[in-house]
Amino acid sequence: MSQRSRLRPQAVSVLLFLAPFILYFPVALGQQIFFDGDISLFYYPLRVELARALSEGRLPFWSPGIMMGFPVFAEGQIEALYPLNQVLYRLLPAYRALGLEMLFHLGWMTLGMYCFVRQLRASRPAAALAALVLMTNGYIMGNLLFPSVLATMAWLPWSLWLYERTLA
């Protein structure tokens, strides 16, 4: 294989970040959403309230429309102060923001795993494979119904990368 036919490291990084957007392209395009189980019963109603509050220029402290009234801001899983959510739910309808939030976290996790495995001095193909396996493994696929778990998992490879980098 010639030098010109190889992908640049930046191109590999971009492709790995975009892999979930490609895999779930109907969600990325806003044609479908992740909507089953806990998403439909818990996360989506909270995200709707978050989007409503942010569009009104306030934080969602209390919602009288959820159950008999619900302390939305006190619920940690809404991630009301998370910078990504501040941007997405302020600018987009809740269904679009939720799908993009989840795809962003899948992409961020995939890219983080690639960087972590490269930090361990593995080859680019091996690191890319590790990243794709992480993105599509059963644990992650099973937790697509739990946006807060996915958001937390997205930072794990980056934490490992930073730890390894600090030791190096």
Side-chain angles (χ1 to χ4, degrees):
M1 187 181 296
S2 71
Q3 287 294 90
R4 289 183 183 182
S5 65
R6 289 188 176 178
L7 288 175
R8 292 186 170 163
Q10 299 87 351
V12 172
S13 297
V14 169
L15 285 173
L16 286 171
F17 179 79
L18 293 177
F21 292 86
I22 296 165
L23 182 63
Y24 297 107
F25 72 93
V27 175
L29 296 176
Q31 297 171 343
Q32 292 180 357
I33 58 173
F34 297 106
F35 200 76
D36 195 17
D38 281 4
I39 288 181
S40 64
L41 299 173
F42 181 71
Y43 291 101
Y44 184 72
L46 288 177
R47 295 307 203 270
V48 168
E49 183 57 33
L50 175 63
R52 181 180 303 125
L54 292 177
S55 71
E56 295 170 359
R58 62 178 178 83
L59 289 174
F61 290 110
W62 182 263
S63 175
I66 298 176
M67 296 183 220
M68 298 286 294
F70 191 81
V72 178
F73 191 73
E75 170 53 62
Q77 296 184 76
I78 193 173
E79 304 155 345
L81 298 178
Y82 188 53
L84 177 66
N85 288 355
Q86 283 283 317
V87 172
L88 289 176
Y89 291 94
R90 189 177 304 268
L91 300 176
L92 299 170
Y95 79 95
R96 285 283 288 138
L98 180 60
L100 292 176
E101 172 193 350
M102 294 175 70
L103 294 178
F104 174 86
H105 285 121
L106 279 171
W108 187 243
M109 179 184 62
T110 304
L111 180 59
M113 182 57 110
Y114 174 76
C115 292
F116 169 60
V117 175
R118 287 291 292 151
Q119 179 75 27
L120 298 176
R121 294 183 176 78
S123 67
R124 284 191 191 111
L129 179 62
L132 292 172
V133 166
L134 176 64
M135 180 186 80
T136 58
N137 77 57
Y139 180 79
I140 298 301
M141 293 291 110
N143 279 296
L144 284 178
L145 301 178
F146 306 100
S148 58
V149 173
L150 186 59
T152 303
M153 285 296 301
W155 289 96
L156 177 63
W158 290 104
S159 299
L160 295 171
W161 172 82
L162 183 60
Y163 179 74
E164 277 298 317
R165 192 169 173 102
T166 304
L167 292 179

